[in-house]
PDB file of all heavy atoms in Angstrom:
ATOM      1  N   LEU A 197      19.400   5.244   3.055  1.00 77.00           N
ATOM      2  CA  LEU A 197      18.235   5.781   2.349  1.00 77.00           C
ATOM      3  C   LEU A 197      18.277   5.428   0.860  1.00 77.00           C
ATOM      4  O   LEU A 197      17.251   5.072   0.267  1.00 77.00           O
ATOM      5  CB  LEU A 197      18.172   7.301   2.528  1.00 77.00           C
ATOM      6  CG  LEU A 197      17.798   7.792   3.934  1.00 77.00           C
ATOM      7  CD1 LEU A 197      17.914   9.300   4.010  1.00 77.00           C
ATOM      8  CD2 LEU A 197      16.390   7.345   4.306  1.00 77.00           C
ATOM      9  N   LEU A 198      19.462   5.502   0.256  1.00 85.00           N
ATOM     10  CA  LEU A 198      19.591   5.130  -1.152  1.00 85.00           C
ATOM     11  C   LEU A 198      19.241   3.657  -1.357  1.00 85.00           C
ATOM     12  O   LEU A 198      18.529   3.299  -2.305  1.00 85.00           O
ATOM     13  CB  LEU A 198      21.020   5.409  -1.644  1.00 85.00           C
ATOM     14  CG  LEU A 198      21.408   6.879  -1.816  1.00 85.00           C
ATOM     15  CD1 LEU A 198      22.890   6.997  -2.155  1.00 85.00           C
ATOM     16  CD2 LEU A 198      20.560   7.537  -2.910  1.00 85.00           C
ATOM     17  N   PHE A 199      19.740   2.805  -0.457  1.00 88.00           N
ATOM     18  CA  PHE A 199      19.435   1.376  -0.543  1.00 88.00           C
ATOM     19  C   PHE A 199      17.944   1.128  -0.339  1.00 88.00           C
ATOM     20  O   PHE A 199      17.323   0.322  -1.045  1.00 88.00           O
ATOM     21  CB  PHE A 199      20.248   0.609   0.510  1.00 88.00           C
ATOM     22  CG  PHE A 199      19.903  -0.847   0.605  1.00 88.00           C
ATOM     23  CD1 PHE A 199      20.364  -1.752  -0.344  1.00 88.00           C
ATOM     24  CD2 PHE A 199      19.101  -1.319   1.652  1.00 88.00           C
ATOM     25  CE1 PHE A 199      20.028  -3.101  -0.258  1.00 88.00           C
ATOM     26  CE2 PHE A 199      18.771  -2.657   1.735  1.00 88.00           C
ATOM     27  CZ  PHE A 199      19.240  -3.546   0.780  1.00 88.00           C
ATOM     28  N   PHE A 200      17.355   1.850   0.623  1.00 83.00           N
ATOM     29  CA  PHE A 200      15.927   1.688   0.917  1.00 83.00           C
ATOM     30  C   PHE A 200      15.072   2.048  -0.293  1.00 83.00           C
ATOM     31  O   PHE A 200      14.172   1.288  -0.679  1.00 83.00           O
ATOM     32  CB  PHE A 200      15.545   2.554   2.115  1.00 83.00           C
ATOM     33  CG  PHE A 200      14.065   2.602   2.381  1.00 83.00           C
ATOM     34  CD1 PHE A 200      13.430   1.546   3.017  1.00 83.00           C
ATOM     35  CD2 PHE A 200      13.303   3.693   1.972  1.00 83.00           C
ATOM     36  CE1 PHE A 200      12.060   1.577   3.255  1.00 83.00           C
ATOM     37  CE2 PHE A 200      11.938   3.733   2.211  1.00 83.00           C
ATOM     38  CZ  PHE A 200      11.309   2.674   2.849  1.00 83.00           C
ATOM     39  N   TYR A 201      15.346   3.202  -0.898  1.00 79.00           N
ATOM     40  CA  TYR A 201      14.525   3.641  -2.031  1.00 79.00           C
ATOM     41  C   TYR A 201      14.762   2.775  -3.269  1.00 79.00           C
ATOM     42  O   TYR A 201      13.837   2.544  -4.056  1.00 79.00           O
ATOM     43  CB  TYR A 201      14.795   5.110  -2.341  1.00 79.00           C
ATOM     44  CG  TYR A 201      14.150   6.041  -1.341  1.00 79.00           C
ATOM     45  CD1 TYR A 201      14.918   6.851  -0.514  1.00 79.00           C
ATOM     46  CD2 TYR A 201      12.766   6.087  -1.198  1.00 79.00           C
ATOM     47  CE1 TYR A 201      14.323   7.690   0.423  1.00 79.00           C
ATOM     48  CE2 TYR A 201      12.167   6.923  -0.258  1.00 79.00           C
ATOM     49  CZ  TYR A 201      12.947   7.721   0.539  1.00 79.00           C
ATOM     50  OH  TYR A 201      12.356   8.551   1.452  1.00 79.00           O
ATOM     51  N   ALA A 202      16.003   2.284  -3.433  1.00 88.00           N
ATOM     52  CA  ALA A 202      16.270   1.375  -4.550  1.00 88.00           C
ATOM     53  C   ALA A 202      15.493   0.068  -4.358  1.00 88.00           C
ATOM     54  O   ALA A 202      14.903  -0.469  -5.308  1.00 88.00           O
ATOM     55  CB  ALA A 202      17.769   1.103  -4.659  1.00 88.00           C
ATOM     56  N   SER A 203      15.480  -0.429  -3.124  1.00 88.00           N
ATOM     57  CA  SER A 203      14.730  -1.652  -2.819  1.00 88.00           C
ATOM     58  C   SER A 203      13.232  -1.433  -3.000  1.00 88.00           C
ATOM     59  O   SER A 203      12.517  -2.302  -3.518  1.00 88.00           O
ATOM     60  CB  SER A 203      15.012  -2.100  -1.383  1.00 88.00           C
ATOM     61  OG  SER A 203      16.384  -2.336  -1.187  1.00 88.00           O
ATOM     62  N   LEU A 204      12.762  -0.252  -2.582  1.00 81.00           N
ATOM     63  CA  LEU A 204      11.342   0.070  -2.734  1.00 81.00           C
ATOM     64  C   LEU A 204      10.954   0.125  -4.209  1.00 81.00           C
ATOM     65  O   LEU A 204       9.898  -0.396  -4.606  1.00 81.00           O
ATOM     66  CB  LEU A 204      11.052   1.415  -2.058  1.00 81.00           C
ATOM     67  CG  LEU A 204       9.593   1.902  -2.101  1.00 81.00           C
ATOM     68  CD1 LEU A 204       8.684   0.915  -1.363  1.00 81.00           C
ATOM     69  CD2 LEU A 204       9.469   3.287  -1.491  1.00 81.00           C
ATOM     70  N   LEU A 205      11.807   0.732  -5.028  1.00 83.00           N
ATOM     71  CA  LEU A 205      11.540   0.806  -6.469  1.00 83.00           C
ATOM     72  C   LEU A 205      11.504  -0.589  -7.080  1.00 83.00           C
ATOM     73  O   LEU A 205      10.617  -0.903  -7.900  1.00 83.00           O
ATOM     74  CB  LEU A 205      12.611   1.657  -7.154  1.00 83.00           C
ATOM     75  CG  LEU A 205      12.493   1.819  -8.668  1.00 83.00           C
ATOM     76  CD1 LEU A 205      11.168   2.502  -9.031  1.00 83.00           C
ATOM     77  CD2 LEU A 205      13.668   2.619  -9.225  1.00 83.00           C
ATOM     78  N   LEU A 206      12.444  -1.443  -6.689  1.00 89.00           N
ATOM     79  CA  LEU A 206      12.480  -2.817  -7.193  1.00 89.00           C
ATOM     80  C   LEU A 206      11.219  -3.574  -6.778  1.00 89.00           C
ATOM     81  O   LEU A 206      10.629  -4.325  -7.572  1.00 89.00           O
ATOM     82  CB  LEU A 206      13.723  -3.530  -6.669  1.00 89.00           C
ATOM     83  CG  LEU A 206      13.919  -4.981  -7.130  1.00 89.00           C
ATOM     84  CD1 LEU A 206      14.082  -5.035  -8.650  1.00 89.00           C
ATOM     85  CD2 LEU A 206      15.136  -5.602  -6.443  1.00 89.00           C
ATOM     86  N   PHE A 207      10.792  -3.369  -5.528  1.00 83.00           N
ATOM     87  CA  PHE A 207       9.576  -4.018  -5.023  1.00 83.00           C
ATOM     88  C   PHE A 207       8.363  -3.595  -5.846  1.00 83.00           C
ATOM     89  O   PHE A 207       7.517  -4.430  -6.212  1.00 83.00           O
ATOM     90  CB  PHE A 207       9.376  -3.647  -3.555  1.00 83.00           C
ATOM     91  CG  PHE A 207       8.079  -4.134  -2.968  1.00 83.00           C
ATOM     92  CD1 PHE A 207       7.945  -5.459  -2.578  1.00 83.00           C
ATOM     93  CD2 PHE A 207       6.998  -3.275  -2.821  1.00 83.00           C
ATOM     94  CE1 PHE A 207       6.743  -5.922  -2.035  1.00 83.00           C
ATOM     95  CE2 PHE A 207       5.793  -3.730  -2.286  1.00 83.00           C
ATOM     96  CZ  PHE A 207       5.672  -5.051  -1.897  1.00 83.00           C
ATOM     97  N   ILE A 208       8.251  -2.312  -6.152  1.00 77.00           N
ATOM     98  CA  ILE A 208       7.121  -1.800  -6.939  1.00 77.00           C
ATOM     99  C   ILE A 208       7.123  -2.404  -8.336  1.00 77.00           C
ATOM    100  O   ILE A 208       6.073  -2.780  -8.874  1.00 77.00           O
ATOM    101  CB  ILE A 208       7.171  -0.255  -7.009  1.00 77.00           C
ATOM    102  CG1 ILE A 208       6.904   0.338  -5.626  1.00 77.00           C
ATOM    103  CG2 ILE A 208       6.148   0.284  -8.008  1.00 77.00           C
ATOM    104  CD1 ILE A 208       7.106   1.839  -5.540  1.00 77.00           C
ATOM    105  N   ILE A 209       8.313  -2.512  -8.929  1.00 84.00           N
ATOM    106  CA  ILE A 209       8.411  -3.071 -10.285  1.00 84.00           C
ATOM    107  C   ILE A 209       7.998  -4.534 -10.301  1.00 84.00           C
ATOM    108  O   ILE A 209       7.265  -4.992 -11.191  1.00 84.00           O
ATOM    109  CB  ILE A 209       9.848  -2.910 -10.827  1.00 84.00           C
ATOM    110  CG1 ILE A 209      10.154  -1.419 -11.053  1.00 84.00           C
ATOM    111  CG2 ILE A 209      10.024  -3.681 -12.140  1.00 84.00           C
ATOM    112  CD1 ILE A 209      11.601  -1.150 -11.420  1.00 84.00           C
ATOM    113  N   VAL A 210       8.462  -5.301  -9.288  1.00 84.00           N
ATOM    114  CA  VAL A 210       8.186  -6.738  -9.251  1.00 84.00           C
ATOM    115  C   VAL A 210       6.707  -6.998  -8.951  1.00 84.00           C
ATOM    116  O   VAL A 210       6.045  -7.804  -9.624  1.00 84.00           O
ATOM    117  CB  VAL A 210       9.086  -7.430  -8.201  1.00 84.00           C
ATOM    118  CG1 VAL A 210       8.661  -8.883  -8.009  1.00 84.00           C
ATOM    119  CG2 VAL A 210      10.544  -7.366  -8.624  1.00 84.00           C
ATOM    120  N   VAL A 211       6.169  -6.335  -7.929  1.00 77.00           N
ATOM    121  CA  VAL A 211       4.781  -6.584  -7.517  1.00 77.00           C
ATOM    122  C   VAL A 211       3.785  -5.947  -8.485  1.00 77.00           C
ATOM    123  O   VAL A 211       2.658  -6.433  -8.615  1.00 77.00           O
ATOM    124  CB  VAL A 211       4.558  -6.071  -6.070  1.00 77.00           C
ATOM    125  CG1 VAL A 211       3.125  -6.303  -5.624  1.00 77.00           C
ATOM    126  CG2 VAL A 211       5.524  -6.771  -5.122  1.00 77.00           C
ATOM    127  N   THR A 212       4.199  -4.880  -9.141  1.00 75.00           N
ATOM    128  CA  THR A 212       3.429  -4.048 -10.083  1.00 75.00           C
ATOM    129  C   THR A 212       2.614  -2.989  -9.345  1.00 75.00           C
ATOM    130  O   THR A 212       2.005  -3.280  -8.289  1.00 75.00           O
ATOM    131  CB  THR A 212       2.467  -4.848 -10.996  1.00 75.00           C
ATOM    132  OG1 THR A 212       1.358  -5.322 -10.232  1.00 75.00           O
ATOM    133  CG2 THR A 212       3.175  -5.993 -11.675  1.00 75.00           C
ATOM    134  N   PRO A 213       2.612  -1.762  -9.861  1.00 71.00           N
ATOM    135  CA  PRO A 213       1.888  -0.662  -9.211  1.00 71.00           C
ATOM    136  C   PRO A 213       0.392  -0.936  -9.059  1.00 71.00           C
ATOM    137  O   PRO A 213      -0.220  -0.533  -8.065  1.00 71.00           O
ATOM    138  CB  PRO A 213       2.125   0.518 -10.175  1.00 71.00           C
ATOM    139  CG  PRO A 213       3.391   0.183 -10.879  1.00 71.00           C
ATOM    140  CD  PRO A 213       3.383  -1.303 -11.028  1.00 71.00           C
ATOM    141  N   GLY A 214      -0.219  -1.642 -10.043  1.00 72.00           N
ATOM    142  CA  GLY A 214      -1.652  -1.908  -9.983  1.00 72.00           C
ATOM    143  C   GLY A 214      -2.039  -2.744  -8.776  1.00 72.00           C
ATOM    144  O   GLY A 214      -3.016  -2.443  -8.080  1.00 72.00           O
ATOM    145  N   ARG A 215      -1.275  -3.801  -8.511  1.00 79.00           N
ATOM    146  CA  ARG A 215      -1.577  -4.679  -7.379  1.00 79.00           C
ATOM    147  C   ARG A 215      -1.338  -3.962  -6.052  1.00 79.00           C
ATOM    148  O   ARG A 215      -2.104  -4.134  -5.098  1.00 79.00           O
ATOM    149  CB  ARG A 215      -0.721  -5.939  -7.458  1.00 79.00           C
ATOM    150  CG  ARG A 215      -1.110  -6.864  -8.611  1.00 79.00           C
ATOM    151  CD  ARG A 215      -0.125  -8.000  -8.779  1.00 79.00           C
ATOM    152  NE  ARG A 215      -0.077  -8.874  -7.606  1.00 79.00           N
ATOM    153  CZ  ARG A 215       0.773  -9.877  -7.474  1.00 79.00           C
ATOM    154  NH1 ARG A 215       1.664 -10.123  -8.445  1.00 79.00           N
ATOM    155  NH2 ARG A 215       0.752 -10.632  -6.391  1.00 79.00           N
ATOM    156  N   ILE A 216      -0.294  -3.152  -5.993  1.00 76.00           N
ATOM    157  CA  ILE A 216      -0.023  -2.395  -4.775  1.00 76.00           C
ATOM    158  C   ILE A 216      -1.140  -1.390  -4.523  1.00 76.00           C
ATOM    159  O   ILE A 216      -1.634  -1.247  -3.396  1.00 76.00           O
ATOM    160  CB  ILE A 216       1.338  -1.665  -4.883  1.00 76.00           C
ATOM    161  CG1 ILE A 216       2.474  -2.687  -4.942  1.00 76.00           C
ATOM    162  CG2 ILE A 216       1.538  -0.714  -3.707  1.00 76.00           C
ATOM    163  CD1 ILE A 216       3.837  -2.085  -5.210  1.00 76.00           C
ATOM    164  N   ALA A 217      -1.562  -0.699  -5.593  1.00 74.00           N
ATOM    165  CA  ALA A 217      -2.629   0.297  -5.455  1.00 74.00           C
ATOM    166  C   ALA A 217      -3.927  -0.354  -4.987  1.00 74.00           C
ATOM    167  O   ALA A 217      -4.642   0.200  -4.142  1.00 74.00           O
ATOM    168  CB  ALA A 217      -2.839   1.014  -6.789  1.00 74.00           C
ATOM    169  N   GLN A 218      -4.222  -1.536  -5.539  1.00 79.00           N
ATOM    170  CA  GLN A 218      -5.449  -2.227  -5.141  1.00 79.00           C
ATOM    171  C   GLN A 218      -5.385  -2.651  -3.670  1.00 79.00           C
ATOM    172  O   GLN A 218      -6.377  -2.536  -2.934  1.00 79.00           O
ATOM    173  CB  GLN A 218      -5.659  -3.454  -6.021  1.00 79.00           C
ATOM    174  CG  GLN A 218      -6.980  -4.173  -5.773  1.00 79.00           C
ATOM    175  CD  GLN A 218      -8.178  -3.305  -6.114  1.00 79.00           C
ATOM    176  OE1 GLN A 218      -8.301  -2.828  -7.230  1.00 79.00           O
ATOM    177  NE2 GLN A 218      -9.064  -3.089  -5.150  1.00 79.00           N
ATOM    178  N   PHE A 219      -4.216  -3.129  -3.242  1.00 80.00           N
ATOM    179  CA  PHE A 219      -4.042  -3.532  -1.841  1.00 80.00           C
ATOM    180  C   PHE A 219      -4.250  -2.339  -0.907  1.00 80.00           C
ATOM    181  O   PHE A 219      -4.964  -2.444   0.104  1.00 80.00           O
ATOM    182  CB  PHE A 219      -2.641  -4.119  -1.637  1.00 80.00           C
ATOM    183  CG  PHE A 219      -2.324  -4.451  -0.206  1.00 80.00           C
ATOM    184  CD1 PHE A 219      -2.771  -5.634   0.360  1.00 80.00           C
ATOM    185  CD2 PHE A 219      -1.589  -3.566   0.578  1.00 80.00           C
ATOM    186  CE1 PHE A 219      -2.495  -5.937   1.683  1.00 80.00           C
ATOM    187  CE2 PHE A 219      -1.304  -3.868   1.904  1.00 80.00           C
ATOM    188  CZ  PHE A 219      -1.755  -5.059   2.466  1.00 80.00           C
ATOM    189  N   VAL A 220      -3.630  -1.193  -1.251  1.00 79.00           N
ATOM    190  CA  VAL A 220      -3.773   0.010  -0.419  1.00 79.00           C
ATOM    191  C   VAL A 220      -5.228   0.472  -0.407  1.00 79.00           C
ATOM    192  O   VAL A 220      -5.766   0.874   0.638  1.00 79.00           O
ATOM    193  CB  VAL A 220      -2.852   1.138  -0.927  1.00 79.00           C
ATOM    194  CG1 VAL A 220      -3.091   2.420  -0.152  1.00 79.00           C
ATOM    195  CG2 VAL A 220      -1.387   0.731  -0.816  1.00 79.00           C
ATOM    196  N   HIS A 221      -5.896   0.395  -1.567  1.00 79.00           N
ATOM    197  CA  HIS A 221      -7.303   0.806  -1.650  1.00 79.00           C
ATOM    198  C   HIS A 221      -8.175  -0.073  -0.754  1.00 79.00           C
ATOM    199  O   HIS A 221      -9.057   0.429  -0.031  1.00 79.00           O
ATOM    200  CB  HIS A 221      -7.793   0.712  -3.099  1.00 79.00           C
ATOM    201  CG  HIS A 221      -9.235   1.074  -3.264  1.00 79.00           C
ATOM    202  ND1 HIS A 221     -10.251   0.136  -3.137  1.00 79.00           N
ATOM    203  CD2 HIS A 221      -9.846   2.257  -3.529  1.00 79.00           C
ATOM    204  CE1 HIS A 221     -11.413   0.736  -3.326  1.00 79.00           C
ATOM    205  NE2 HIS A 221     -11.195   2.012  -3.562  1.00 79.00           N
ATOM    206  N   ASP A 222      -7.930  -1.382  -0.774  1.00 82.00           N
ATOM    207  CA  ASP A 222      -8.727  -2.304   0.049  1.00 82.00           C
ATOM    208  C   ASP A 222      -8.517  -2.026   1.533  1.00 82.00           C
ATOM    209  O   ASP A 222      -9.467  -2.051   2.318  1.00 82.00           O
ATOM    210  CB  ASP A 222      -8.345  -3.754  -0.270  1.00 82.00           C
ATOM    211  CG  ASP A 222      -8.749  -4.152  -1.687  1.00 82.00           C
ATOM    212  OD1 ASP A 222      -9.586  -3.450  -2.280  1.00 82.00           O
ATOM    213  OD2 ASP A 222      -8.207  -5.154  -2.198  1.00 82.00           O
ATOM    214  N   ARG A 223      -7.259  -1.745   1.942  1.00 84.00           N
ATOM    215  CA  ARG A 223      -6.994  -1.434   3.358  1.00 84.00           C
ATOM    216  C   ARG A 223      -7.636  -0.104   3.744  1.00 84.00           C
ATOM    217  O   ARG A 223      -8.124   0.062   4.862  1.00 84.00           O
ATOM    218  CB  ARG A 223      -5.475  -1.370   3.609  1.00 84.00           C
ATOM    219  CG  ARG A 223      -4.707  -2.659   3.300  1.00 84.00           C
ATOM    220  CD  ARG A 223      -5.062  -3.814   4.224  1.00 84.00           C
ATOM    221  NE  ARG A 223      -6.333  -4.461   3.938  1.00 84.00           N
ATOM    222  CZ  ARG A 223      -6.543  -5.283   2.892  1.00 84.00           C
ATOM    223  NH1 ARG A 223      -5.560  -5.559   2.038  1.00 84.00           N
ATOM    224  NH2 ARG A 223      -7.715  -5.839   2.717  1.00 84.00           N
ATOM    225  N   ALA A 224      -7.628   0.848   2.803  1.00 84.00           N
ATOM    226  CA  ALA A 224      -8.270   2.140   3.074  1.00 84.00           C
ATOM    227  C   ALA A 224      -9.768   1.968   3.279  1.00 84.00           C
ATOM    228  O   ALA A 224     -10.368   2.608   4.149  1.00 84.00           O
ATOM    229  CB  ALA A 224      -7.993   3.116   1.921  1.00 84.00           C
ATOM    230  N   GLN A 225     -10.376   1.070   2.502  1.00 85.00           N
ATOM    231  CA  GLN A 225     -11.802   0.812   2.671  1.00 85.00           C
ATOM    232  C   GLN A 225     -12.089   0.114   3.996  1.00 85.00           C
ATOM    233  O   GLN A 225     -13.142   0.332   4.606  1.00 85.00           O
ATOM    234  CB  GLN A 225     -12.318  -0.041   1.498  1.00 85.00           C
ATOM    235  CG  GLN A 225     -12.286   0.678   0.159  1.00 85.00           C
ATOM    236  CD  GLN A 225     -12.941   2.043   0.221  1.00 85.00           C
ATOM    237  OE1 GLN A 225     -14.112   2.183   0.578  1.00 85.00           O
ATOM    238  NE2 GLN A 225     -12.187   3.076  -0.140  1.00 85.00           N
ATOM    239  N   ASP A 226     -11.145  -0.730   4.455  1.00 88.00           N
ATOM    240  CA  ASP A 226     -11.290  -1.342   5.779  1.00 88.00           C
ATOM    241  C   ASP A 226     -11.317  -0.269   6.865  1.00 88.00           C
ATOM    242  O   ASP A 226     -12.119  -0.344   7.808  1.00 88.00           O
ATOM    243  CB  ASP A 226     -10.130  -2.313   6.040  1.00 88.00           C
ATOM    244  CG  ASP A 226     -10.197  -3.552   5.162  1.00 88.00           C
ATOM    245  OD1 ASP A 226     -11.291  -3.838   4.627  1.00 88.00           O
ATOM    246  OD2 ASP A 226      -9.149  -4.214   4.989  1.00 88.00           O
ATOM    247  N   ILE A 227     -10.436   0.716   6.730  1.00 87.00           N
ATOM    248  CA  ILE A 227     -10.414   1.828   7.690  1.00 87.00           C
ATOM    249  C   ILE A 227     -11.717   2.609   7.620  1.00 87.00           C
ATOM    250  O   ILE A 227     -12.293   2.985   8.647  1.00 87.00           O
ATOM    251  CB  ILE A 227      -9.215   2.761   7.415  1.00 87.00           C
ATOM    252  CG1 ILE A 227      -7.896   2.032   7.645  1.00 87.00           C
ATOM    253  CG2 ILE A 227      -9.292   4.019   8.287  1.00 87.00           C
ATOM    254  CD1 ILE A 227      -6.669   2.829   7.256  1.00 87.00           C
ATOM    255  N   ARG A 228     -12.208   2.827   6.397  1.00 88.00           N
ATOM    256  CA  ARG A 228     -13.435   3.612   6.213  1.00 88.00           C
ATOM    257  C   ARG A 228     -14.643   2.923   6.853  1.00 88.00           C
ATOM    258  O   ARG A 228     -15.560   3.595   7.355  1.00 88.00           O
ATOM    259  CB  ARG A 228     -13.675   3.839   4.725  1.00 88.00           C
ATOM    260  CG  ARG A 228     -14.871   4.734   4.430  1.00 88.00           C
ATOM    261  CD  ARG A 228     -14.883   5.168   2.998  1.00 88.00           C
ATOM    262  NE  ARG A 228     -15.957   6.116   2.742  1.00 88.00           N
ATOM    263  CZ  ARG A 228     -16.019   6.909   1.684  1.00 88.00           C
ATOM    264  NH1 ARG A 228     -15.052   6.884   0.788  1.00 88.00           N
ATOM    265  NH2 ARG A 228     -17.025   7.734   1.538  1.00 88.00           N
ATOM    266  N   ARG A 229     -14.630   1.592   6.846  1.00 89.00           N
ATOM    267  CA  ARG A 229     -15.756   0.855   7.426  1.00 89.00           C
ATOM    268  C   ARG A 229     -15.725   0.839   8.952  1.00 89.00           C
ATOM    269  O   ARG A 229     -16.730   0.517   9.593  1.00 89.00           O
ATOM    270  CB  ARG A 229     -15.777  -0.575   6.876  1.00 89.00           C
ATOM    271  CG  ARG A 229     -16.326  -0.661   5.444  1.00 89.00           C
ATOM    272  CD  ARG A 229     -16.530  -2.104   5.033  1.00 89.00           C
ATOM    273  NE  ARG A 229     -15.275  -2.757   4.725  1.00 89.00           N
ATOM    274  CZ  ARG A 229     -14.733  -2.806   3.506  1.00 89.00           C
ATOM    275  NH1 ARG A 229     -15.357  -2.226   2.489  1.00 89.00           N
ATOM    276  NH2 ARG A 229     -13.596  -3.431   3.298  1.00 89.00           N
ATOM    277  N   LEU A 230     -14.579   1.178   9.516  1.00 90.00           N
ATOM    278  CA  LEU A 230     -14.492   1.242  10.975  1.00 90.00           C
ATOM    279  C   LEU A 230     -15.291   2.439  11.487  1.00 90.00           C
ATOM    280  O   LEU A 230     -15.315   3.499  10.868  1.00 90.00           O
ATOM    281  CB  LEU A 230     -13.032   1.382  11.413  1.00 90.00           C
ATOM    282  CG  LEU A 230     -12.110   0.186  11.162  1.00 90.00           C
ATOM    283  CD1 LEU A 230     -10.678   0.539  11.542  1.00 90.00           C
ATOM    284  CD2 LEU A 230     -12.573  -1.031  11.957  1.00 90.00           C
ATOM    285  N   ARG A 231     -15.909   2.256  12.633  1.00 87.00           N
ATOM    286  CA  ARG A 231     -16.738   3.324  13.192  1.00 87.00           C
ATOM    287  C   ARG A 231     -15.905   4.560  13.520  1.00 87.00           C
ATOM    288  O   ARG A 231     -16.348   5.691  13.343  1.00 87.00           O
ATOM    289  CB  ARG A 231     -17.448   2.811  14.446  1.00 87.00           C
ATOM    290  CG  ARG A 231     -18.435   3.803  15.038  1.00 87.00           C
ATOM    291  CD  ARG A 231     -19.178   3.194  16.207  1.00 87.00           C
ATOM    292  NE  ARG A 231     -20.132   4.127  16.786  1.00 87.00           N
ATOM    293  CZ  ARG A 231     -20.904   3.866  17.834  1.00 87.00           C
ATOM    294  NH1 ARG A 231     -20.826   2.669  18.407  1.00 87.00           N
ATOM    295  NH2 ARG A 231     -21.731   4.768  18.307  1.00 87.00           N
ATOM    296  N   TYR A 232     -14.689   4.323  14.021  1.00 90.00           N
ATOM    297  CA  TYR A 232     -13.820   5.436  14.410  1.00 90.00           C
ATOM    298  C   TYR A 232     -12.578   5.498  13.514  1.00 90.00           C
ATOM    299  O   TYR A 232     -11.489   5.858  13.970  1.00 90.00           O
ATOM    300  CB  TYR A 232     -13.408   5.296  15.876  1.00 90.00           C
ATOM    301  CG  TYR A 232     -14.590   5.290  16.824  1.00 90.00           C
ATOM    302  CD1 TYR A 232     -14.990   4.120  17.465  1.00 90.00           C
ATOM    303  CD2 TYR A 232     -15.310   6.471  17.060  1.00 90.00           C
ATOM    304  CE1 TYR A 232     -16.078   4.125  18.334  1.00 90.00           C
ATOM    305  CE2 TYR A 232     -16.395   6.475  17.925  1.00 90.00           C
ATOM    306  CZ  TYR A 232     -16.782   5.301  18.553  1.00 90.00           C
ATOM    307  OH  TYR A 232     -17.852   5.308  19.403  1.00 90.00           O
ATOM    308  N   GLY A 233     -12.757   5.178  12.252  1.00 91.00           N
ATOM    309  CA  GLY A 233     -11.628   5.185  11.322  1.00 91.00           C
ATOM    310  C   GLY A 233     -10.975   6.547  11.186  1.00 91.00           C
ATOM    311  O   GLY A 233      -9.744   6.666  11.184  1.00 91.00           O
ATOM    312  N   SER A 234     -11.796   7.589  11.089  1.00 92.00           N
ATOM    313  CA  SER A 234     -11.238   8.940  10.939  1.00 92.00           C
ATOM    314  C   SER A 234     -10.490   9.356  12.203  1.00 92.00           C
ATOM    315  O   SER A 234      -9.485  10.076  12.130  1.00 92.00           O
ATOM    316  CB  SER A 234     -12.348   9.945  10.632  1.00 92.00           C
ATOM    317  OG  SER A 234     -13.325   9.945  11.654  1.00 92.00           O
TER     318      SER A 234
END
């Protein structure tokens, strides 16, 4: 778990929180456009 969270933190720093947030937002909108997304 320590290794996992350290790797996750490193991934966030390298990719940047803004790009990750935008990616998650776009996928969330894909779900929202689905007829049975909820």
